[in-house]
Amino acid sequence: MTGRRVVIAGLGDVGVLAAIKLARHADVVGISAKPGLVSGQELGWRLARPDDWARHNWIPFARFRGLDRVRTVHGTLTRVDLAARTVSVALPSGGTTEVGYDALVIATGVSNGFWRQAGFQTAAQVGDGLRDPHEKLSAARSVIVVGGGAAAVSSAAQIATAWPDKTVELYFPGDRALVGHHPRTWEKVSSRLREAGVVLWPGHRAQLEPGFTGDELTSGPVRWSTGQEPANADAVLWAIGRVRPNTGWLPAELLDEGGFVCVTPELQVPGHPEVFAVGDVAATDPLRSSARNRADGLLARNVRAFFAGEPLKSYRPPTRRWGSVLGIQPDGLEVFAPNGTAFRFPAWAFETVLMPVIVRWGIYRGVRQDK
C-alpha cells in the first residue's frame, strides 16, 4: 500500500479509528467538519456533566498519537467525482480544495438532535454546544424526555442522578423502551430508572408537526397521537431517533431510499470497489450497527486487501443492540451483552483502567494529555 492514498470522509467515532488503523499502511487524509473528535455517544452524560464528558469525548486530533501520520482537513465535504477519484471540500476561508484518493472511506455519520450535527464548527462553537443545553436543563424544575432508545433512556437517568430535585419523566411509544436490546436489558434498566426517580410513561407516541426533527430543547406541552392528555415540563428533550444521513454531498446512485450509503457485506459500495462506507451512514443492516461493533478493524483490513488484490471479509452484524445504556454512574459503568447479561466496571476502574488503559491506549493507541 506504499504510496496509496486513502481519504477518510468524516472523523467521528468510527472515522478516527479507521484512520488510526490505516495510517501505518497508506497516505491517509481525514476530512472533518469538526476540529477534533466530538463523539455522538453518551448523550445523557454529555447533558448532565459536560466537563466530564468532554475530557473523554471531545478530543482535538493533535492529541491522538495514532493520527500523527494523518493529514486532517477542517472543512465541509461538498461533492465527490467518482470518475476522477476526488472529493471537494469547502474551507472556512471561503475557498475550496480538491483531495484525490485511491480509496475513499465514507464515515460521515448521521445528524440526530442538537448533539449530532453535520455543519462546520470551530472549537468555540463545540464548547457552546456542550454548555448551552446543560445550562437550560440545570435551570428547569421539570424535564420530559421523549423517546425509547438508549439516548433517551441514558438522558433520563443521567439528568435524574445529576439533579435529584427535578421531576424527570420518560415517555416512549411501546410497552417497553430499548426494543432493539434484549428484554432482560430493559428489565434491569427500568429498575435503575425508577431507583433514580424517573417516572416511566409507556404507550405514549408524540404527535409531531411535519418537518419537526427535535433538534433543540423545547418547553410547553407535548401532545400525543395515542390519545393521552398533553404533558408539560420546563424542558423537553426530544430523543426520537429521527436520524438523517450526512450524505448530501454524494450522488443518489450510491444511496438507498433512506439516503444511507449502499454497501456489500465487505463494506464496499456496489459498482465502486474503491469506495467503502462504515458507521451509522452505511446501510449494512437494519440497525446500521457497524459503528458500534468495531467494524473499523474489518474496514481497514478490507481496504488493505483491496489494494493487495486479496479476498475481503464480510461484516456480520449482531441481531440485537448491546453496550452501555445508562453511561457512567456514581457506582460505575454497566455494560449489557446482546443476550441481556450485564457486567459492571466499578467506578474506580472507569478512570484508572477502562478509559486510560483500555480506551486511550488499547483502542486509540495513545492519547496525549490536554495541555
Side-chain angles (χ1 to χ4, degrees), residues 330-359:
D331 58 352
L333 178 71
E334 200 165 33
V335 179
F336 293 88
N339 66 0
T341 301
F343 55 96
R344 176 180 300 281
F345 292 91
W348 65 266
F350 181 82
E351 291 289 353
T352 61
V353 178
L354 178 62
M355 296 308 296
V357 178
I358 297 176
V359 174

PDB file of all heavy atoms in Angstrom, residues 330-359:
ATOM      1  N   PRO A 330     -22.582   6.899  39.428  1.00  0.00           N
ATOM      2  CA  PRO A 330     -21.740   7.001  40.627  1.00  0.00           C
ATOM      3  C   PRO A 330     -21.168   5.666  41.081  1.00  0.00           C
ATOM      4  O   PRO A 330     -20.079   5.627  41.677  1.00  0.00           O
ATOM      5  CB  PRO A 330     -22.704   7.587  41.671  1.00  0.00           C
ATOM      6  CG  PRO A 330     -23.680   8.382  40.868  1.00  0.00           C
ATOM      7  CD  PRO A 330     -23.876   7.599  39.602  1.00  0.00           C
ATOM      8  N   ASP A 331     -21.883   4.553  40.818  1.00  0.00           N
ATOM      9  CA  ASP A 331     -21.383   3.245  41.239  1.00  0.00           C
ATOM     10  C   ASP A 331     -20.671   2.491  40.123  1.00  0.00           C
ATOM     11  O   ASP A 331     -20.361   1.308  40.268  1.00  0.00           O
ATOM     12  CB  ASP A 331     -22.519   2.391  41.801  1.00  0.00           C
ATOM     13  CG  ASP A 331     -23.650   2.174  40.791  1.00  0.00           C
ATOM     14  OD1 ASP A 331     -23.609   2.820  39.714  1.00  0.00           O
ATOM     15  OD2 ASP A 331     -24.553   1.382  41.075  1.00  0.00           O
ATOM     16  N   GLY A 332     -20.418   3.150  38.979  1.00  0.00           N
ATOM     17  CA  GLY A 332     -19.660   2.512  37.917  1.00  0.00           C
ATOM     18  C   GLY A 332     -20.368   2.506  36.580  1.00  0.00           C
ATOM     19  O   GLY A 332     -21.368   3.202  36.382  1.00  0.00           O
ATOM     20  N   LEU A 333     -19.859   1.707  35.672  1.00  0.00           N
ATOM     21  CA  LEU A 333     -20.384   1.602  34.318  1.00  0.00           C
ATOM     22  C   LEU A 333     -20.893   0.189  34.090  1.00  0.00           C
ATOM     23  O   LEU A 333     -20.151  -0.789  34.249  1.00  0.00           O
ATOM     24  CB  LEU A 333     -19.293   1.925  33.286  1.00  0.00           C
ATOM     25  CG  LEU A 333     -19.693   1.803  31.819  1.00  0.00           C
ATOM     26  CD1 LEU A 333     -20.655   2.930  31.435  1.00  0.00           C
ATOM     27  CD2 LEU A 333     -18.458   1.836  30.911  1.00  0.00           C
ATOM     28  N   GLU A 334     -22.157   0.077  33.692  1.00  0.00           N
ATOM     29  CA  GLU A 334     -22.765  -1.221  33.428  1.00  0.00           C
ATOM     30  C   GLU A 334     -22.889  -1.414  31.924  1.00  0.00           C
ATOM     31  O   GLU A 334     -23.419  -0.545  31.220  1.00  0.00           O
ATOM     32  CB  GLU A 334     -24.141  -1.289  34.094  1.00  0.00           C
ATOM     33  CG  GLU A 334     -24.652  -2.692  34.303  1.00  0.00           C
ATOM     34  CD  GLU A 334     -25.827  -2.714  35.268  1.00  0.00           C
ATOM     35  OE1 GLU A 334     -26.602  -1.732  35.279  1.00  0.00           O
ATOM     36  OE2 GLU A 334     -25.971  -3.707  36.010  1.00  0.00           O
ATOM     37  N   VAL A 335     -22.404  -2.552  31.432  1.00  0.00           N
ATOM     38  CA  VAL A 335     -22.426  -2.868  30.004  1.00  0.00           C
ATOM     39  C   VAL A 335     -23.265  -4.114  29.801  1.00  0.00           C
ATOM     40  O   VAL A 335     -23.107  -5.110  30.527  1.00  0.00           O
ATOM     41  CB  VAL A 335     -21.001  -3.075  29.458  1.00  0.00           C
ATOM     42  CG1 VAL A 335     -21.047  -3.435  27.975  1.00  0.00           C
ATOM     43  CG2 VAL A 335     -20.162  -1.817  29.667  1.00  0.00           C
ATOM     44  N   PHE A 336     -24.158  -4.076  28.808  1.00  0.00           N
ATOM     45  CA  PHE A 336     -25.072  -5.183  28.552  1.00  0.00           C
ATOM     46  C   PHE A 336     -24.656  -5.924  27.290  1.00  0.00           C
ATOM     47  O   PHE A 336     -24.425  -5.322  26.234  1.00  0.00           O
ATOM     48  CB  PHE A 336     -26.502  -4.664  28.398  1.00  0.00           C
ATOM     49  CG  PHE A 336     -27.073  -4.096  29.666  1.00  0.00           C
ATOM     50  CD1 PHE A 336     -26.881  -2.758  29.984  1.00  0.00           C
ATOM     51  CD2 PHE A 336     -27.768  -4.894  30.550  1.00  0.00           C
ATOM     52  CE1 PHE A 336     -27.395  -2.225  31.155  1.00  0.00           C
ATOM     53  CE2 PHE A 336     -28.279  -4.380  31.736  1.00  0.00           C
ATOM     54  CZ  PHE A 336     -28.096  -3.041  32.035  1.00  0.00           C
ATOM     55  N   ALA A 337     -24.577  -7.243  27.398  1.00  0.00           N
ATOM     56  CA  ALA A 337     -24.267  -8.097  26.260  1.00  0.00           C
ATOM     57  C   ALA A 337     -25.512  -8.263  25.390  1.00  0.00           C
ATOM     58  O   ALA A 337     -26.629  -7.939  25.820  1.00  0.00           O
ATOM     59  CB  ALA A 337     -23.780  -9.459  26.760  1.00  0.00           C
ATOM     60  N   PRO A 338     -25.368  -8.770  24.156  1.00  0.00           N
ATOM     61  CA  PRO A 338     -26.547  -8.969  23.303  1.00  0.00           C
ATOM     62  C   PRO A 338     -27.623  -9.850  23.925  1.00  0.00           C
ATOM     63  O   PRO A 338     -28.806  -9.716  23.602  1.00  0.00           O
ATOM     64  CB  PRO A 338     -25.953  -9.616  22.042  1.00  0.00           C
ATOM     65  CG  PRO A 338     -24.554  -9.102  21.986  1.00  0.00           C
ATOM     66  CD  PRO A 338     -24.114  -9.032  23.415  1.00  0.00           C
ATOM     67  N   ASN A 339     -27.246 -10.755  24.831  1.00  0.00           N
ATOM     68  CA  ASN A 339     -28.243 -11.619  25.482  1.00  0.00           C
ATOM     69  C   ASN A 339     -28.836 -11.015  26.742  1.00  0.00           C
ATOM     70  O   ASN A 339     -29.570 -11.671  27.475  1.00  0.00           O
ATOM     71  CB  ASN A 339     -27.632 -12.992  25.798  1.00  0.00           C
ATOM     72  CG  ASN A 339     -26.527 -12.914  26.839  1.00  0.00           C
ATOM     73  OD1 ASN A 339     -26.202 -11.835  27.341  1.00  0.00           O
ATOM     74  ND2 ASN A 339     -25.937 -14.045  27.153  1.00  0.00           N
ATOM     75  N   GLY A 340     -28.526  -9.744  27.009  1.00  0.00           N
ATOM     76  CA  GLY A 340     -29.089  -9.061  28.153  1.00  0.00           C
ATOM     77  C   GLY A 340     -28.303  -9.206  29.439  1.00  0.00           C
ATOM     78  O   GLY A 340     -28.652  -8.595  30.452  1.00  0.00           O
ATOM     79  N   THR A 341     -27.252 -10.008  29.433  1.00  0.00           N
ATOM     80  CA  THR A 341     -26.417 -10.158  30.615  1.00  0.00           C
ATOM     81  C   THR A 341     -25.625  -8.876  30.844  1.00  0.00           C
ATOM     82  O   THR A 341     -25.079  -8.288  29.910  1.00  0.00           O
ATOM     83  CB  THR A 341     -25.457 -11.340  30.458  1.00  0.00           C
ATOM     84  OG1 THR A 341     -26.222 -12.533  30.239  1.00  0.00           O
ATOM     85  CG2 THR A 341     -24.594 -11.517  31.693  1.00  0.00           C
ATOM     86  N   ALA A 342     -25.550  -8.445  32.103  1.00  0.00           N
ATOM     87  CA  ALA A 342     -24.850  -7.209  32.438  1.00  0.00           C
ATOM     88  C   ALA A 342     -23.555  -7.516  33.170  1.00  0.00           C
ATOM     89  O   ALA A 342     -23.478  -8.449  33.966  1.00  0.00           O
ATOM     90  CB  ALA A 342     -25.730  -6.323  33.296  1.00  0.00           C
ATOM     91  N   PHE A 343     -22.520  -6.747  32.869  1.00  0.00           N
ATOM     92  CA  PHE A 343     -21.302  -6.802  33.666  1.00  0.00           C
ATOM     93  C   PHE A 343     -20.876  -5.366  33.962  1.00  0.00           C
ATOM     94  O   PHE A 343     -21.151  -4.452  33.190  1.00  0.00           O
ATOM     95  CB  PHE A 343     -20.182  -7.590  32.980  1.00  0.00           C
ATOM     96  CG  PHE A 343     -19.820  -7.133  31.604  1.00  0.00           C
ATOM     97  CD1 PHE A 343     -18.765  -6.257  31.395  1.00  0.00           C
ATOM     98  CD2 PHE A 343     -20.525  -7.582  30.484  1.00  0.00           C
ATOM     99  CE1 PHE A 343     -18.413  -5.837  30.132  1.00  0.00           C
ATOM    100  CE2 PHE A 343     -20.179  -7.159  29.203  1.00  0.00           C
ATOM    101  CZ  PHE A 343     -19.121  -6.292  29.030  1.00  0.00           C
ATOM    102  N   ARG A 344     -20.237  -5.173  35.103  1.00  0.00           N
ATOM    103  CA  ARG A 344     -20.005  -3.838  35.615  1.00  0.00           C
ATOM    104  C   ARG A 344     -18.517  -3.536  35.784  1.00  0.00           C
ATOM    105  O   ARG A 344     -17.754  -4.379  36.255  1.00  0.00           O
ATOM    106  CB  ARG A 344     -20.700  -3.674  36.973  1.00  0.00           C
ATOM    107  CG  ARG A 344     -20.460  -2.339  37.663  1.00  0.00           C
ATOM    108  CD  ARG A 344     -21.183  -2.273  38.992  1.00  0.00           C
ATOM    109  NE  ARG A 344     -22.617  -2.421  38.788  1.00  0.00           N
ATOM    110  CZ  ARG A 344     -23.405  -1.430  38.374  1.00  0.00           C
ATOM    111  NH1 ARG A 344     -22.884  -0.219  38.129  1.00  0.00           N
ATOM    112  NH2 ARG A 344     -24.686  -1.620  38.203  1.00  0.00           N
ATOM    113  N   PHE A 345     -18.151  -2.315  35.381  1.00  0.00           N
ATOM    114  CA  PHE A 345     -16.854  -1.753  35.739  1.00  0.00           C
ATOM    115  C   PHE A 345     -17.082  -0.871  36.963  1.00  0.00           C
ATOM    116  O   PHE A 345     -17.866   0.086  36.879  1.00  0.00           O
ATOM    117  CB  PHE A 345     -16.281  -0.910  34.606  1.00  0.00           C
ATOM    118  CG  PHE A 345     -15.890  -1.687  33.380  1.00  0.00           C
ATOM    119  CD1 PHE A 345     -16.797  -1.886  32.337  1.00  0.00           C
ATOM    120  CD2 PHE A 345     -14.617  -2.216  33.254  1.00  0.00           C
ATOM    121  CE1 PHE A 345     -16.436  -2.586  31.198  1.00  0.00           C
ATOM    122  CE2 PHE A 345     -14.243  -2.921  32.128  1.00  0.00           C
ATOM    123  CZ  PHE A 345     -15.155  -3.115  31.102  1.00  0.00           C
ATOM    124  N   PRO A 346     -16.459  -1.148  38.099  1.00  0.00           N
ATOM    125  CA  PRO A 346     -16.643  -0.274  39.257  1.00  0.00           C
ATOM    126  C   PRO A 346     -16.155   1.137  38.964  1.00  0.00           C
ATOM    127  O   PRO A 346     -15.331   1.347  38.051  1.00  0.00           O
ATOM    128  CB  PRO A 346     -15.817  -0.946  40.346  1.00  0.00           C
ATOM    129  CG  PRO A 346     -14.864  -1.835  39.631  1.00  0.00           C
ATOM    130  CD  PRO A 346     -15.534  -2.252  38.364  1.00  0.00           C
ATOM    131  N   ALA A 347     -16.647   2.089  39.719  1.00  0.00           N
ATOM    132  CA  ALA A 347     -16.332   3.498  39.454  1.00  0.00           C
ATOM    133  C   ALA A 347     -14.829   3.754  39.458  1.00  0.00           C
ATOM    134  O   ALA A 347     -14.318   4.504  38.607  1.00  0.00           O
ATOM    135  CB  ALA A 347     -17.028   4.378  40.484  1.00  0.00           C
ATOM    136  N   TRP A 348     -14.092   3.140  40.386  1.00  0.00           N
ATOM    137  CA  TRP A 348     -12.651   3.383  40.446  1.00  0.00           C
ATOM    138  C   TRP A 348     -11.953   2.874  39.191  1.00  0.00           C
ATOM    139  O   TRP A 348     -10.980   3.466  38.726  1.00  0.00           O
ATOM    140  CB  TRP A 348     -12.033   2.724  41.676  1.00  0.00           C
ATOM    141  CG  TRP A 348     -12.101   1.212  41.687  1.00  0.00           C
ATOM    142  CD1 TRP A 348     -13.051   0.438  42.271  1.00  0.00           C
ATOM    143  CD2 TRP A 348     -11.167   0.311  41.065  1.00  0.00           C
ATOM    144  NE1 TRP A 348     -12.782  -0.897  42.053  1.00  0.00           N
ATOM    145  CE2 TRP A 348     -11.634  -1.001  41.328  1.00  0.00           C
ATOM    146  CE3 TRP A 348      -9.994   0.485  40.334  1.00  0.00           C
ATOM    147  CZ2 TRP A 348     -10.962  -2.132  40.863  1.00  0.00           C
ATOM    148  CZ3 TRP A 348      -9.330  -0.636  39.868  1.00  0.00           C
ATOM    149  CH2 TRP A 348      -9.810  -1.929  40.135  1.00  0.00           C
ATOM    150  N   ALA A 349     -12.463   1.774  38.598  1.00  0.00           N
ATOM    151  CA  ALA A 349     -11.828   1.189  37.418  1.00  0.00           C
ATOM    152  C   ALA A 349     -12.091   2.016  36.162  1.00  0.00           C
ATOM    153  O   ALA A 349     -11.296   1.981  35.212  1.00  0.00           O
ATOM    154  CB  ALA A 349     -12.321  -0.236  37.213  1.00  0.00           C
ATOM    155  N   PHE A 350     -13.176   2.785  36.145  1.00  0.00           N
ATOM    156  CA  PHE A 350     -13.503   3.571  34.961  1.00  0.00           C
ATOM    157  C   PHE A 350     -12.410   4.587  34.668  1.00  0.00           C
ATOM    158  O   PHE A 350     -11.940   4.709  33.532  1.00  0.00           O
ATOM    159  CB  PHE A 350     -14.849   4.279  35.165  1.00  0.00           C
ATOM    160  CG  PHE A 350     -15.292   5.094  33.980  1.00  0.00           C
ATOM    161  CD1 PHE A 350     -15.914   4.498  32.904  1.00  0.00           C
ATOM    162  CD2 PHE A 350     -15.077   6.466  33.940  1.00  0.00           C
ATOM    163  CE1 PHE A 350     -16.314   5.243  31.804  1.00  0.00           C
ATOM    164  CE2 PHE A 350     -15.479   7.222  32.854  1.00  0.00           C
ATOM    165  CZ  PHE A 350     -16.094   6.603  31.782  1.00  0.00           C
ATOM    166  N   GLU A 351     -11.980   5.338  35.693  1.00  0.00           N
ATOM    167  CA  GLU A 351     -10.988   6.389  35.492  1.00  0.00           C
ATOM    168  C   GLU A 351      -9.556   5.886  35.534  1.00  0.00           C
ATOM    169  O   GLU A 351      -8.660   6.540  35.009  1.00  0.00           O
ATOM    170  CB  GLU A 351     -11.169   7.479  36.552  1.00  0.00           C
ATOM    171  CG  GLU A 351     -12.451   8.306  36.395  1.00  0.00           C
ATOM    172  CD  GLU A 351     -12.407   9.239  35.191  1.00  0.00           C
ATOM    173  OE1 GLU A 351     -11.353   9.350  34.554  1.00  0.00           O
ATOM    174  OE2 GLU A 351     -13.441   9.872  34.902  1.00  0.00           O
ATOM    175  N   THR A 352      -9.312   4.741  36.155  1.00  0.00           N
ATOM    176  CA  THR A 352      -7.927   4.273  36.312  1.00  0.00           C
ATOM    177  C   THR A 352      -7.545   3.151  35.365  1.00  0.00           C
ATOM    178  O   THR A 352      -6.361   2.935  35.111  1.00  0.00           O
ATOM    179  CB  THR A 352      -7.685   3.808  37.756  1.00  0.00           C
ATOM    180  OG1 THR A 352      -8.568   2.716  38.049  1.00  0.00           O
ATOM    181  CG2 THR A 352      -7.914   4.930  38.743  1.00  0.00           C
ATOM    182  N   VAL A 353      -8.535   2.417  34.849  1.00  0.00           N
ATOM    183  CA  VAL A 353      -8.237   1.277  33.967  1.00  0.00           C
ATOM    184  C   VAL A 353      -8.952   1.395  32.624  1.00  0.00           C
ATOM    185  O   VAL A 353      -8.325   1.398  31.560  1.00  0.00           O
ATOM    186  CB  VAL A 353      -8.614  -0.056  34.649  1.00  0.00           C
ATOM    187  CG1 VAL A 353      -8.342  -1.225  33.694  1.00  0.00           C
ATOM    188  CG2 VAL A 353      -7.844  -0.237  35.946  1.00  0.00           C
ATOM    189  N   LEU A 354     -10.286   1.510  32.656  1.00  0.00           N
ATOM    190  CA  LEU A 354     -11.060   1.455  31.419  1.00  0.00           C
ATOM    191  C   LEU A 354     -10.682   2.576  30.462  1.00  0.00           C
ATOM    192  O   LEU A 354     -10.315   2.321  29.303  1.00  0.00           O
ATOM    193  CB  LEU A 354     -12.553   1.510  31.735  1.00  0.00           C
ATOM    194  CG  LEU A 354     -13.484   1.496  30.509  1.00  0.00           C
ATOM    195  CD1 LEU A 354     -13.309   0.204  29.726  1.00  0.00           C
ATOM    196  CD2 LEU A 354     -14.935   1.679  30.920  1.00  0.00           C
ATOM    197  N   MET A 355     -10.773   3.847  30.896  1.00  0.00           N
ATOM    198  CA  MET A 355     -10.527   4.946  29.981  1.00  0.00           C
ATOM    199  C   MET A 355      -9.039   5.120  29.647  1.00  0.00           C
ATOM    200  O   MET A 355      -8.676   5.175  28.464  1.00  0.00           O
ATOM    201  CB  MET A 355     -11.123   6.237  30.543  1.00  0.00           C
ATOM    202  CG  MET A 355     -12.630   6.206  30.665  1.00  0.00           C
ATOM    203  SD  MET A 355     -13.503   5.711  29.148  1.00  0.00           S
ATOM    204  CE  MET A 355     -13.059   7.043  28.035  1.00  0.00           C
ATOM    205  N   PRO A 356      -8.138   5.205  30.638  1.00  0.00           N
ATOM    206  CA  PRO A 356      -6.733   5.450  30.282  1.00  0.00           C
ATOM    207  C   PRO A 356      -6.037   4.269  29.637  1.00  0.00           C
ATOM    208  O   PRO A 356      -5.180   4.462  28.766  1.00  0.00           O
ATOM    209  CB  PRO A 356      -6.086   5.815  31.624  1.00  0.00           C
ATOM    210  CG  PRO A 356      -6.939   5.159  32.643  1.00  0.00           C
ATOM    211  CD  PRO A 356      -8.335   5.206  32.107  1.00  0.00           C
ATOM    212  N   VAL A 357      -6.358   3.052  30.029  1.00  0.00           N
ATOM    213  CA  VAL A 357      -5.624   1.881  29.536  1.00  0.00           C
ATOM    214  C   VAL A 357      -6.340   1.214  28.362  1.00  0.00           C
ATOM    215  O   VAL A 357      -5.788   1.076  27.266  1.00  0.00           O
ATOM    216  CB  VAL A 357      -5.401   0.862  30.682  1.00  0.00           C
ATOM    217  CG1 VAL A 357      -4.670  -0.377  30.140  1.00  0.00           C
ATOM    218  CG2 VAL A 357      -4.612   1.496  31.817  1.00  0.00           C
ATOM    219  N   ILE A 358      -7.594   0.818  28.577  1.00  0.00           N
ATOM    220  CA  ILE A 358      -8.305   0.071  27.538  1.00  0.00           C
ATOM    221  C   ILE A 358      -8.702   0.969  26.372  1.00  0.00           C
ATOM    222  O   ILE A 358      -8.505   0.611  25.204  1.00  0.00           O
ATOM    223  CB  ILE A 358      -9.543  -0.620  28.144  1.00  0.00           C
ATOM    224  CG1 ILE A 358      -9.104  -1.646  29.197  1.00  0.00           C
ATOM    225  CG2 ILE A 358     -10.364  -1.296  27.045  1.00  0.00           C
ATOM    226  CD1 ILE A 358     -10.247  -2.323  29.916  1.00  0.00           C
ATOM    227  N   VAL A 359      -9.266   2.145  26.680  1.00  0.00           N
ATOM    228  CA  VAL A 359      -9.754   3.013  25.604  1.00  0.00           C
ATOM    229  C   VAL A 359      -8.621   3.824  24.982  1.00  0.00           C
ATOM    230  O   VAL A 359      -8.359   3.735  23.773  1.00  0.00           O
ATOM    231  CB  VAL A 359     -10.875   3.941  26.120  1.00  0.00           C
ATOM    232  CG1 VAL A 359     -11.279   4.945  25.033  1.00  0.00           C
ATOM    233  CG2 VAL A 359     -12.081   3.123  26.557  1.00  0.00           C
TER     234      VAL A 359
END
